[in-house]
Amino acid sequence: MFTKFFYVLKDSGLPVSMNEWQTLLEALEAGMAGSSLTGFYYLCRSVLVKTEAHYDRFDMAFANYFSDIETPEGLPDKIWEWLDKELPDMQISDEMRRNHQKLDLDELKRMLEERLAEQNEEHHGGNRWIGTGGTSPFGHSGYHPGGIRIGGASRNLSAVKVAGQRRFQEFRTDETLGIRQFQVALRKLRQFTTRLDGARTELDLDSTINKTCDNAGRLELIWERPKENGIKVLLLMDAGGSMVSYSRLCNQLFTAVNRSNHFKDLKIFYFHNCIYDYLYHDPWCSLNNYTETDYVLNTYSADYRVIIVGDASMAPYELMRKGGIIEWGLYNDRPGIDWFKRIRQHFEYSVWLNPIPKNYWMWMEGAFTINKISEVFPMEELTIDGLQSAIDKLKSRQAIATSS
Amino acid sequence: MAKKYVDYRGSSDYIVSDELRNSVNIAIALQKPLLIKGEPGTGKTMLAQSIADSLEMNLIIWNIKSTTKAQEGLYVYDTVQRLYDSQFGDSNVADIKQYIKLGKLGEAFLADKPVVLLIDEIDKADLEFPNDLLWELDQMSFYIPETKETIEAKNRPIVIITSNAEKELPDAFLRRCIFHYIAFPDPEGMEKIIKVHHPKLEMKLLQQAMETFYMLRNISNIQKRPSTSELIDWLQALVVGGISPGRIRQELPFLGVLLKKNEDLDILLTQLNTKTQARNQNTRSSPFNRYR
């Protein structure tokens, strides 16, 4: 009957499965929604939505689909006054429930208009007029399955209103979130290998059996070292002027990477707008505290996972021309784009994270350089979703997009 | 209502929101595990205790650590002990049963009365952990090949699972759960919670403390925001220390109870000192400052 809602949810990006839908129908059959839209809202949410990150999507889809049922606006003030009365809870008998067939929404709206025209005084506890309590379909705190709630202090808060509040907006995953979420995403970057040092804490069953047999049945236990993450990470961060607006976001990623103690090795370097001959050890790019980029390329093995964080936005000459470096007093023999290509060639597992939201890439000032660089590195936006797909890309060799 | 289910209504020492109570009852009625997420200190673990109290059931807690394997929850076959015993001939090694020790899930299945089973902090374990429990939680039974026995739940336990979102849980697992996210309580809800813990608290002290508490929580950049349990401890400290309500906001006594990280204390102090420049706060501690 409301199968369409299922597709509305799917269309809004909620991974609702048939199983869950089935469960919902069962629950409805068992009367778990308490025959109110609010009850239905909470039931749907707890059965269909499995992460707070999707609460907001659900709220929007719900509010959208059921928006017709919202309290009509523009009621005379007097009616609001009548409705502004508190009442004790009402007991609902089966008989009452039977008496109220679910009314059609259009029917309800028509009736409400009629009543509005006729009614000229307060009513509380009746079954026809707009007022509090009672069983009239209009008003609040009363009981009428499928009635229109008008005002009232949420004895049965309108579900559409609850949904409309979008209290869970901050949990969306396509929004940028805190350090913790970055850490969770980074945790997926791992590859187990046996460590050479460390305590032998795991029983090696096969060797134990062999040894015990060798001893003619006298038990001898063999222990081995547990497996450890063998992933090594090289983080290159743009500390240039245009990155200031994203500093908070980059700080969060930086802290998260730094705190991720599951990497076998983590090296961090900084650069200013574009990478040339030198990589710096501090975000101020001090000219006396650097490592040569060649040294990094020659020393670090190709299995380092390289994450470059930067807005990739610069003047085209900074990227394309010899001597394009932004620092006064320095000169580069190779254009920046060459350096990027060399890095990409050496480190096949590499991605570029861009704090600029993806849909601006084509329209920003730096669109040209963003485009050029994303031809070299797979580029993702710096959000949780972006980081996750970046990490997926780091797990396997990605073909270099184009080379020209 | 077709059928009357066991109805959880909250217990005297635990304030439960309508939403959460709904979710609990839905999970009980549909006989599905209830997955609870929420900020630390929002009472995820307490919920299980409260359900057990209110429904007068026993509570079995399975604390998950990073090394916990799903198998341990079912049973452990102590092969090493058996091997040792066989070497020295201490006991009857032919009887495998005595080397089978039931885990928490097994315990819950074999309990005579229905129990509440809390699987605490499921996200601590390996990524595959929840998947390994799918069948057992669905069917409420498992097979022990060593003894050729099938352990079946005498009574279906109410399963509560908590997660701190350290890891994403597998979809297949999520599909089988009822999910609820405990939002951080608003001031009104918080007052109710506090009254359960400190029933005789002076109104003025409470007001001042709450204002300060929510002020602290709203400071951006704080890494570990104070939670409910910290507020409760702090109030305790304020009462014991005999702090007059007027001093709370100015002096921020016993701040260490609320903010546990040095960085957070620093952030707070800088912000208090430079309230006028509050807008600069976001970039204050940033290494990218030079380029402003």
Side-chain angles (χ1 to χ4, degrees):
Chain A
M1 121 196 107
F2 55 105
T3 315
K4 213 175 138 208
F5 184 46
F6 179 69
Y7 291 101
V8 169
L9 289 176
K10 287 218 124 188
D11 285 346
S12 54
L14 285 162
V16 185
S17 71
M18 273 311 291
N19 278 353
E20 286 157 312
W21 192 251
Q22 208 69 39
T23 310
L24 176 68
L25 294 182
E26 265 171 47
L28 285 174
E29 205 125 288
M32 304 272 330
S35 50
S36 78
L37 193 58
T38 317
F40 177 64
Y41 166 78
Y42 286 123
L43 180 70
C44 283
R45 201 181 70 180
S46 59
V47 174
L48 302 178
V49 187
K50 297 302 160 66
T51 165
E52 70 276 17
H54 291 159
Y55 272 8
D56 186 47
R57 283 181 204 171
F58 175 76
D59 281 358
M60 291 209 316
F62 193 95
N64 192 16
Y65 188 78
F66 292 101
S67 58
D68 281 352
I69 306 176
E70 195 151 16
T71 309
E73 278 177 6
L75 290 173
D77 283 348
K78 214 195 237 168
I79 292 180
W80 286 107
E81 275 172 39
W82 301 337
L83 293 166
D84 212 6
K85 297 270 160 80
E86 276 297 313
L87 273 184
D89 276 341
M90 204 170 80
Q91 296 301 315
I92 297 153
S93 67
D94 279 335
E95 193 192 353
M96 283 166 70
R97 196 168 287 120
R98 237 176 291 123
N99 281 341
H100 290 286
Q101 306 297 319
K102 210 172 177 188
L103 293 170
D104 184 67
L105 186 69
D106 290 338
E107 176 85 340
L108 274 177
K109 279 185 172 164
R110 193 184 51 74
M111 279 167 70
L112 176 62
E113 265 164 40
E114 274 175 22
R115 303 266 159 98
L116 279 175
E118 292 172 52
Q119 186 172 0
N120 46 21
E121 55 189 291
E122 289 190 29
H123 278 277
H124 297 295
N127 65 5
R128 176 173 165 83
W129 299 105
I130 304 166
T132 62
T135 54
S136 154
F138 306 115
H140 73 76
S141 304
Y143 175 79
H144 189 287
I148 294 185
R149 187 177 73 88
I150 305 174
S154 77
R155 179 144 303 157
N156 224 342
L157 186 61
S158 152
V160 175
K161 205 171 151 211
V162 174
Q165 285 171 352
R166 298 183 61 186
R167 284 191 296 137
F168 293 94
Q169 194 173 7
E170 56 180 297
F171 293 117
R172 296 185 68 123
T173 45
D174 47 0
E175 311 257 324
T176 45
L177 288 160
I179 298 162
R180 173 148 211 94
Q181 277 81 358
F182 279 136
Q183 274 183 291
V184 172
L186 284 167
R187 246 174 241 218
K188 292 200 179 127
L189 188 56
R190 56 183 192 171
Q191 188 178 65
F192 285 114
T193 47
T194 314
R195 223 166 51 150
L196 290 175
D197 46 348
R200 296 174 181 272
T201 50
E202 258 175 27
L203 182 69
D204 181 346
L205 208 55
D206 290 339
S207 315
T208 301
I209 292 169
N210 283 341
K211 266 287 180 209
T212 307
C213 291
D214 282 351
N215 290 347
R218 192 175 165 79
L219 186 64
E220 186 172 337
L221 299 177
I222 307 295
W223 303 88
E224 67 180 7
R225 300 187 174 95
K227 287 185 173 162
E228 294 269 320
N229 193 0
I231 292 267
K232 295 175 278 189
V233 173
L234 183 60
L235 180 67
L236 305 175
M237 292 189 92
D238 182 358
S242 51
M243 288 292 285
V244 170
S245 16
Y246 311 106
S247 64
R248 187 178 139 80
L249 186 60
C250 293
N251 271 339
Q252 286 179 334
L253 177 75
F254 178 81
T255 320
V257 174
N258 237 336
R259 281 207 207 141
S260 301
N261 44 16
H262 67 288
F263 299 132
K264 196 173 169 201
D265 190 24
L266 171 65
K267 292 272 188 288
I268 299 166
F269 293 105
Y270 300 88
F271 59 94
H272 192 166
N273 283 2
C274 186
I275 297 178
Y276 308 102
D277 303 63
Y278 306 108
L279 285 165
Y280 300 93
H281 292 187
D282 54 39
W284 303 277
C285 297
S286 325
L287 296 179
N288 54 1
N289 196 2
Y290 62 84
T291 302
E292 283 167 27
T293 311
D294 270 326
Y295 176 85
V296 171
L297 288 172
N298 293 333
T299 321
Y300 295 138
S301 55
D303 61 344
Y304 269 83
R305 304 303 199 265
V306 177
I307 303 174
I308 306 178
V309 183
D311 56 3
S313 307
M314 58 197 97
Y317 66 82
E318 285 182 67
L319 183 67
M320 307 307 287
R321 273 180 33 193
K322 290 180 189 176
I325 189 164
I326 196 170
E327 306 280 354
W328 291 108
L330 288 182
Y331 185 80
N332 56 307
D333 287 330
R334 285 168 182 276
I337 190 80
D338 270 15
W339 282 106
F340 281 134
K341 282 181 185 161
R342 287 188 66 198
I343 292 171
R344 175 68 191 181
Q345 247 158 32
H346 181 66
F347 297 110
E348 286 175 290
Y349 305 96
S350 48
V351 287
W352 187 293
L353 285 172
N354 197 330
I356 301 173
K358 200 167 192 167
N359 41 355
Y360 291 127
W361 288 357
M362 283 303 127
W363 313 105
M364 293 285 291
E365 260 178 44
F368 175 78
T369 50
I370 290 179
N371 193 26
K372 275 285 167 208
I373 290 173
S374 58
E375 282 173 9
V376 180
F377 293 100
M379 195 180 283
E380 294 289 342
E381 56 178 355
L382 182 47
T383 56
I384 304 300
D385 284 348
L387 182 61
Q388 261 163 9
S389 59
I391 278 168
D392 287 340
K393 287 183 177 154
L394 283 179
K395 283 179 180 162
S396 60
R397 287 190 174 85
Q398 300 285 316
I400 299 175
T402 50
S403 52
S404 65
Chain B
M1 309 273 154
K3 190 178 155 192
K4 189 70 200 156
Y5 296 100
V6 197
D7 190 14
Y8 166 66
R9 294 180 176 281
S11 54
S12 60
D13 57 351
Y14 183 82
I15 298 292
V16 59
S17 68
D18 288 351
E19 297 174 34
L20 177 56
R21 201 181 53 221
N22 263 335
S23 301
V24 171
N25 285 324
I26 289 168
I28 295 175
L30 295 177
Q31 304 196 324
K32 284 181 184 293
L34 176 64
L35 174 66
I36 299 283
K37 269 210 241 172
E39 257 186 69
T42 38
K44 296 187 290 294
T45 306
M46 292 273 289
L47 173 70
Q49 184 66 55
S50 162
I51 296 172
D53 289 350
S54 119
L55 303 179
E56 290 174 354
M57 293 181 180
N58 280 331
L59 175 66
I60 294 181
I61 301 175
W62 184 14
N63 275 311
I64 307 298
K65 302 192 188 87
S66 62
T67 51
T68 308
K69 300 269 176 299
Q71 181 69 31
E72 290 166 32
L74 309 178
Y75 70 97
V76 178
Y77 172 29
D78 196 347
T79 40
V80 176
Q81 185 62 48
R82 185 161 175 242
L83 266 174
Y84 276 127
D85 282 357
S86 73
Q87 303 245 299
F88 304 107
D90 281 352
S91 52
N92 179 18
V93 285
D95 182 15
I96 299 182
K97 252 191 185 166
Q98 58 177 325
Y99 299 105
I100 301 272
K101 298 197 172 63
L102 285 182
K104 294 288 179 190
L105 203 58
E107 232 178 88
F109 284 0
L110 287 189
D112 290 327
K113 281 192 290 181
V115 293
V116 178
L117 173 67
L118 170 66
I119 305 182
D120 208 7
E121 308 195 18
I122 195 166
D123 51 330
K124 284 254 168 24
D126 191 72
L127 285 169
E128 286 307 309
F129 177 89
N131 276 341
D132 296 345
L133 284 177
L134 283 183
W135 170 265
E136 285 75 12
L137 288 177
D138 246 12
Q139 301 299 318
M140 288 289 164
S141 73
F142 60 88
Y143 178 66
I144 306 181
E146 285 85 356
T147 56
K148 299 188 177 62
E149 256 184 316
T150 303
I151 304 282
E152 257 180 277
K154 290 185 182 166
N155 298 291
R156 208 178 170 95
I158 296 173
V159 183
I160 309 293
I161 300 168
T162 71
S163 163
N164 280 324
E166 280 189 23
K167 295 193 182 81
E168 288 293 325
L169 299 170
D171 288 343
F173 178 78
L174 290 176
R175 276 201 292 273
R176 287 165 168 84
C177 294
I178 301 297
F179 174 75
H180 187 87
Y181 179 85
I182 303 187
F184 196 83
D186 54 357
E188 264 174 57
M190 184 58 92
E191 243 173 73
K192 280 190 207 155
I193 294 170
I194 289 166
K195 278 187 181 135
V196 170
H197 292 269
H198 299 286
K200 285 179 188 155
L201 205 64
E202 218 183 306
M203 210 43 217
K204 217 173 155 214
L205 181 84
L206 178 66
Q207 266 174 8
Q208 287 291 324
M210 292 265 291
E211 266 174 39
T212 318
F213 175 74
Y214 277 94
M215 185 270 287
L216 286 177
R217 270 186 63 86
N218 284 333
I219 294 179
S220 56
N221 283 1
I222 288 237
Q223 293 181 359
K224 189 180 176 319
R225 294 198 287 178
S227 67
T228 314
S229 53
E230 274 137 7
L231 174 61
I232 289 166
D233 290 349
W234 190 48
L235 283 167
Q236 181 74 27
L238 292 176
V239 171
V240 173
I243 307 287
S244 71
R247 285 167 56 202
I248 294 177
R249 255 208 115 112
Q250 277 89 49
E251 297 178 20
L252 299 173
F254 309 116
L255 200 55
V257 180
L258 289 176
L259 298 178
K260 307 270 169 81
K261 288 190 172 236
N262 285 338
E263 297 97 305
D264 288 349
L265 282 171
D266 289 346
I267 289 173
L268 172 67
L269 292 178
T270 19
Q271 193 161 73
L272 289 179
N273 289 338
T274 56
K275 255 186 186 160
T276 41
Q277 302 169 323
R279 278 193 313 142
N280 297 343
Q281 183 59 31
N282 274 355
T283 45
R284 178 160 300 278
S285 55
S286 151
F288 302 106
N289 254 357
R290 197 173 85 117
Y291 295 99
R292 286 182 61 77

Short mmCIF file of all heavy atoms in Angstrom, two decimals, chain B residues 44-63 104 107-108 111 113-120 157-162:
data_model
loop_
_atom_site.label_atom_id
_atom_site.label_comp_id
_atom_site.label_asym_id
_atom_site.label_seq_id
_atom_site.Cartn_x
_atom_site.Cartn_y
_atom_site.Cartn_z
N LYS B 44 24.51 3.83 27.32
CA LYS B 44 24.23 2.69 26.47
C LYS B 44 24.26 1.39 27.28
O LYS B 44 23.37 0.57 27.17
CB LYS B 44 25.26 2.61 25.33
CG LYS B 44 25.20 3.79 24.39
CD LYS B 44 26.11 3.59 23.20
CE LYS B 44 27.58 3.64 23.55
NZ LYS B 44 28.02 4.96 24.00
N THR B 45 25.31 1.26 28.07
CA THR B 45 25.48 0.03 28.84
C THR B 45 24.42 -0.05 29.95
O THR B 45 23.89 -1.13 30.23
CB THR B 45 26.89 -0.02 29.43
OG1 THR B 45 27.81 0.16 28.36
CG2 THR B 45 27.16 -1.32 30.11
N MET B 46 24.12 1.12 30.53
CA MET B 46 23.12 1.16 31.60
C MET B 46 21.76 0.68 31.13
O MET B 46 20.97 0.16 31.91
CB MET B 46 22.97 2.61 32.09
CG MET B 46 24.16 3.16 32.81
SD MET B 46 24.05 2.75 34.55
CE MET B 46 22.69 3.83 35.02
N LEU B 47 21.48 0.89 29.85
CA LEU B 47 20.17 0.52 29.32
C LEU B 47 19.88 -0.95 29.56
O LEU B 47 18.79 -1.31 30.01
CB LEU B 47 20.11 0.83 27.82
CG LEU B 47 18.86 0.34 27.12
CD1 LEU B 47 17.65 1.14 27.55
CD2 LEU B 47 19.00 0.40 25.61
N ALA B 48 20.86 -1.80 29.30
CA ALA B 48 20.65 -3.24 29.45
C ALA B 48 20.31 -3.57 30.90
O ALA B 48 19.40 -4.35 31.18
CB ALA B 48 21.89 -3.99 29.01
N GLN B 49 21.04 -2.94 31.81
CA GLN B 49 20.77 -3.15 33.23
C GLN B 49 19.33 -2.74 33.56
O GLN B 49 18.61 -3.45 34.27
CB GLN B 49 21.76 -2.32 34.07
CG GLN B 49 21.66 -2.53 35.56
CD GLN B 49 22.06 -3.93 35.97
OE1 GLN B 49 23.15 -4.39 35.65
NE2 GLN B 49 21.17 -4.63 36.65
N SER B 50 18.95 -1.60 33.00
CA SER B 50 17.61 -1.09 33.28
C SER B 50 16.52 -2.02 32.74
O SER B 50 15.51 -2.26 33.39
CB SER B 50 17.48 0.31 32.67
OG SER B 50 16.14 0.66 32.56
N ILE B 51 16.77 -2.55 31.53
CA ILE B 51 15.79 -3.49 30.97
C ILE B 51 15.68 -4.73 31.84
O ILE B 51 14.59 -5.19 32.17
CB ILE B 51 16.19 -3.89 29.53
CG1 ILE B 51 16.15 -2.67 28.62
CG2 ILE B 51 15.26 -4.96 28.99
CD1 ILE B 51 16.71 -2.93 27.23
N ALA B 52 16.85 -5.22 32.25
CA ALA B 52 16.86 -6.42 33.10
C ALA B 52 16.11 -6.15 34.39
O ALA B 52 15.28 -6.96 34.83
CB ALA B 52 18.30 -6.83 33.38
N ASP B 53 16.36 -4.99 35.01
CA ASP B 53 15.69 -4.65 36.27
C ASP B 53 14.19 -4.55 36.07
O ASP B 53 13.40 -5.11 36.84
CB ASP B 53 16.21 -3.31 36.81
CG ASP B 53 17.63 -3.44 37.33
OD1 ASP B 53 18.10 -4.60 37.43
OD2 ASP B 53 18.25 -2.41 37.62
N SER B 54 13.81 -3.83 35.01
CA SER B 54 12.39 -3.54 34.86
C SER B 54 11.60 -4.80 34.48
O SER B 54 10.45 -4.94 34.83
CB SER B 54 12.21 -2.41 33.86
OG SER B 54 11.47 -2.83 32.76
N LEU B 55 12.22 -5.70 33.76
CA LEU B 55 11.51 -6.92 33.37
C LEU B 55 11.83 -8.09 34.30
O LEU B 55 11.40 -9.22 34.05
CB LEU B 55 11.85 -7.30 31.92
CG LEU B 55 11.57 -6.24 30.86
CD1 LEU B 55 11.96 -6.74 29.49
CD2 LEU B 55 10.10 -5.86 30.88
N GLU B 56 12.59 -7.78 35.33
CA GLU B 56 12.99 -8.79 36.33
C GLU B 56 13.62 -10.01 35.67
O GLU B 56 13.20 -11.14 35.85
CB GLU B 56 11.78 -9.19 37.17
CG GLU B 56 11.36 -8.06 38.09
CD GLU B 56 10.08 -8.35 38.86
OE1 GLU B 56 9.48 -9.40 38.57
OE2 GLU B 56 9.74 -7.55 39.71
N MET B 57 14.63 -9.73 34.89
CA MET B 57 15.39 -10.80 34.25
C MET B 57 16.84 -10.68 34.70
O MET B 57 17.27 -9.63 35.17
CB MET B 57 15.36 -10.65 32.74
CG MET B 57 14.01 -10.87 32.12
SD MET B 57 14.16 -10.68 30.35
CE MET B 57 12.49 -10.97 29.84
N ASN B 58 17.57 -11.77 34.53
CA ASN B 58 19.00 -11.71 34.81
C ASN B 58 19.73 -11.06 33.63
O ASN B 58 19.30 -11.17 32.50
CB ASN B 58 19.56 -13.10 35.04
CG ASN B 58 19.27 -13.58 36.44
OD1 ASN B 58 19.16 -12.77 37.36
ND2 ASN B 58 19.11 -14.88 36.58
N LEU B 59 20.83 -10.42 33.96
CA LEU B 59 21.62 -9.77 32.91
C LEU B 59 22.93 -10.52 32.73
O LEU B 59 23.65 -10.78 33.69
CB LEU B 59 21.90 -8.31 33.31
CG LEU B 59 22.81 -7.52 32.37
CD1 LEU B 59 22.15 -7.32 31.02
CD2 LEU B 59 23.16 -6.18 32.99
N ILE B 60 23.21 -10.90 31.51
CA ILE B 60 24.50 -11.52 31.20
C ILE B 60 25.28 -10.55 30.32
O ILE B 60 24.77 -10.09 29.29
CB ILE B 60 24.31 -12.87 30.48
CG1 ILE B 60 23.65 -13.85 31.44
CG2 ILE B 60 25.65 -13.41 29.99
CD1 ILE B 60 23.42 -15.22 30.86
N ILE B 61 26.48 -10.18 30.76
CA ILE B 61 27.27 -9.19 30.02
C ILE B 61 28.44 -9.87 29.32
O ILE B 61 29.20 -10.60 29.93
CB ILE B 61 27.80 -8.10 30.96
CG1 ILE B 61 26.64 -7.40 31.67
CG2 ILE B 61 28.62 -7.08 30.17
CD1 ILE B 61 27.07 -6.41 32.70
N TRP B 62 28.54 -9.63 28.04
CA TRP B 62 29.69 -10.12 27.27
C TRP B 62 30.48 -8.90 26.84
O TRP B 62 30.08 -8.18 25.94
CB TRP B 62 29.20 -10.94 26.08
CG TRP B 62 30.30 -11.57 25.29
CD1 TRP B 62 31.60 -11.72 25.65
CD2 TRP B 62 30.18 -12.15 23.99
NE1 TRP B 62 32.31 -12.36 24.67
CE2 TRP B 62 31.47 -12.63 23.64
CE3 TRP B 62 29.13 -12.33 23.10
CZ2 TRP B 62 31.71 -13.26 22.42
CZ3 TRP B 62 29.38 -12.95 21.89
CH2 TRP B 62 30.66 -13.42 21.56
N ASN B 63 31.59 -8.66 27.53
CA ASN B 63 32.43 -7.51 27.19
C ASN B 63 33.35 -7.87 26.04
O ASN B 63 34.09 -8.85 26.11
CB ASN B 63 33.28 -7.10 28.40
CG ASN B 63 32.51 -6.20 29.31
OD1 ASN B 63 31.91 -5.22 28.85
ND2 ASN B 63 32.49 -6.54 30.58
N LYS B 104 29.47 -16.65 26.92
CA LYS B 104 28.34 -15.87 27.42
C LYS B 104 27.07 -16.13 26.63
O LYS B 104 25.99 -16.20 27.18
CB LYS B 104 28.68 -14.38 27.35
CG LYS B 104 29.81 -13.97 28.27
CD LYS B 104 29.34 -13.99 29.71
CE LYS B 104 30.49 -13.60 30.63
NZ LYS B 104 30.15 -13.82 32.04
N GLU B 107 25.76 -19.41 27.60
CA GLU B 107 25.15 -19.28 28.93
C GLU B 107 23.73 -18.73 28.82
O GLU B 107 22.80 -19.23 29.46
CB GLU B 107 26.00 -18.29 29.74
CG GLU B 107 26.44 -18.77 31.10
CD GLU B 107 27.30 -17.70 31.75
OE1 GLU B 107 26.74 -16.82 32.41
OE2 GLU B 107 28.54 -17.73 31.54
N ALA B 108 23.61 -17.69 27.99
CA ALA B 108 22.31 -17.05 27.84
C ALA B 108 21.30 -18.02 27.22
O ALA B 108 20.13 -18.01 27.59
CB ALA B 108 22.43 -15.80 26.98
N ALA B 111 20.09 -20.60 29.92
CA ALA B 111 19.49 -20.12 31.16
C ALA B 111 18.04 -20.60 31.25
O ALA B 111 17.35 -20.71 30.23
CB ALA B 111 19.54 -18.59 31.20
N LYS B 113 15.50 -19.18 32.83
CA LYS B 113 14.54 -18.09 32.60
C LYS B 113 15.10 -17.20 31.49
O LYS B 113 16.30 -17.15 31.28
CB LYS B 113 14.37 -17.27 33.88
CG LYS B 113 13.45 -17.96 34.88
CD LYS B 113 13.07 -17.00 36.00
CE LYS B 113 14.24 -16.70 36.89
NZ LYS B 113 13.94 -15.82 38.01
N PRO B 114 14.23 -16.48 30.79
CA PRO B 114 14.76 -15.57 29.76
C PRO B 114 15.67 -14.53 30.40
O PRO B 114 15.41 -14.06 31.51
CB PRO B 114 13.52 -14.92 29.15
CG PRO B 114 12.36 -15.34 29.96
CD PRO B 114 12.76 -16.47 30.83
N VAL B 115 16.75 -14.21 29.71
CA VAL B 115 17.71 -13.25 30.26
C VAL B 115 17.90 -12.10 29.27
O VAL B 115 17.48 -12.18 28.11
CB VAL B 115 19.08 -13.90 30.50
CG1 VAL B 115 19.00 -14.94 31.60
CG2 VAL B 115 19.63 -14.49 29.23
N VAL B 116 18.53 -11.06 29.75
CA VAL B 116 18.97 -9.98 28.89
C VAL B 116 20.46 -10.20 28.62
O VAL B 116 21.23 -10.34 29.56
CB VAL B 116 18.75 -8.60 29.55
CG1 VAL B 116 19.27 -7.50 28.65
CG2 VAL B 116 17.29 -8.39 29.87
N LEU B 117 20.83 -10.29 27.37
CA LEU B 117 22.24 -10.48 27.03
C LEU B 117 22.78 -9.17 26.46
O LEU B 117 22.28 -8.66 25.47
CB LEU B 117 22.40 -11.60 26.00
CG LEU B 117 23.82 -11.77 25.44
CD1 LEU B 117 24.77 -12.26 26.51
CD2 LEU B 117 23.84 -12.71 24.26
N LEU B 118 23.79 -8.63 27.14
CA LEU B 118 24.41 -7.40 26.66
C LEU B 118 25.73 -7.73 25.98
O LEU B 118 26.63 -8.28 26.60
CB LEU B 118 24.65 -6.44 27.83
CG LEU B 118 25.50 -5.22 27.53
CD1 LEU B 118 24.78 -4.29 26.56
CD2 LEU B 118 25.84 -4.46 28.80
N ILE B 119 25.83 -7.45 24.71
CA ILE B 119 27.11 -7.58 24.00
C ILE B 119 27.69 -6.18 23.94
O ILE B 119 27.26 -5.35 23.15
CB ILE B 119 26.91 -8.18 22.60
CG1 ILE B 119 26.18 -9.52 22.72
CG2 ILE B 119 28.26 -8.38 21.91
CD1 ILE B 119 25.97 -10.22 21.40
N ASP B 120 28.65 -5.91 24.82
CA ASP B 120 29.08 -4.54 25.06
C ASP B 120 30.26 -4.17 24.15
O ASP B 120 31.24 -4.89 24.09
CB ASP B 120 29.47 -4.38 26.53
CG ASP B 120 29.26 -2.96 26.99
OD1 ASP B 120 28.70 -2.16 26.23
OD2 ASP B 120 29.66 -2.64 28.13
N PRO B 157 16.79 -15.00 24.44
CA PRO B 157 17.21 -13.86 25.24
C PRO B 157 16.95 -12.53 24.53
O PRO B 157 16.85 -12.49 23.31
CB PRO B 157 18.72 -14.08 25.42
CG PRO B 157 19.12 -14.97 24.31
CD PRO B 157 17.91 -15.76 23.89
N ILE B 158 16.80 -11.48 25.32
CA ILE B 158 16.72 -10.13 24.75
C ILE B 158 18.16 -9.66 24.53
O ILE B 158 18.93 -9.57 25.49
CB ILE B 158 15.99 -9.18 25.69
CG1 ILE B 158 14.54 -9.63 25.87
CG2 ILE B 158 16.05 -7.75 25.18
CD1 ILE B 158 13.78 -8.87 26.91
N VAL B 159 18.52 -9.43 23.30
CA VAL B 159 19.91 -9.12 23.01
C VAL B 159 20.09 -7.61 22.80
O VAL B 159 19.43 -7.02 21.94
CB VAL B 159 20.41 -9.87 21.75
CG1 VAL B 159 21.88 -9.58 21.52
CG2 VAL B 159 20.18 -11.35 21.92
N ILE B 160 20.94 -7.00 23.60
CA ILE B 160 21.26 -5.59 23.45
C ILE B 160 22.73 -5.50 23.05
O ILE B 160 23.58 -6.11 23.67
CB ILE B 160 21.06 -4.82 24.78
CG1 ILE B 160 19.69 -5.08 25.36
CG2 ILE B 160 21.30 -3.33 24.57
CD1 ILE B 160 18.55 -4.54 24.58
N ILE B 161 23.00 -4.76 21.98
CA ILE B 161 24.38 -4.64 21.50
C ILE B 161 24.75 -3.16 21.52
O ILE B 161 23.98 -2.33 21.04
CB ILE B 161 24.49 -5.20 20.08
CG1 ILE B 161 24.09 -6.67 20.06
CG2 ILE B 161 25.91 -5.03 19.54
CD1 ILE B 161 23.90 -7.24 18.69
N THR B 162 25.88 -2.82 22.10
CA THR B 162 26.29 -1.42 22.07
C THR B 162 27.52 -1.26 21.18
O THR B 162 28.30 -2.19 21.02
CB THR B 162 26.63 -0.87 23.46
OG1 THR B 162 27.84 -1.45 23.91
CG2 THR B 162 25.54 -1.16 24.44
#
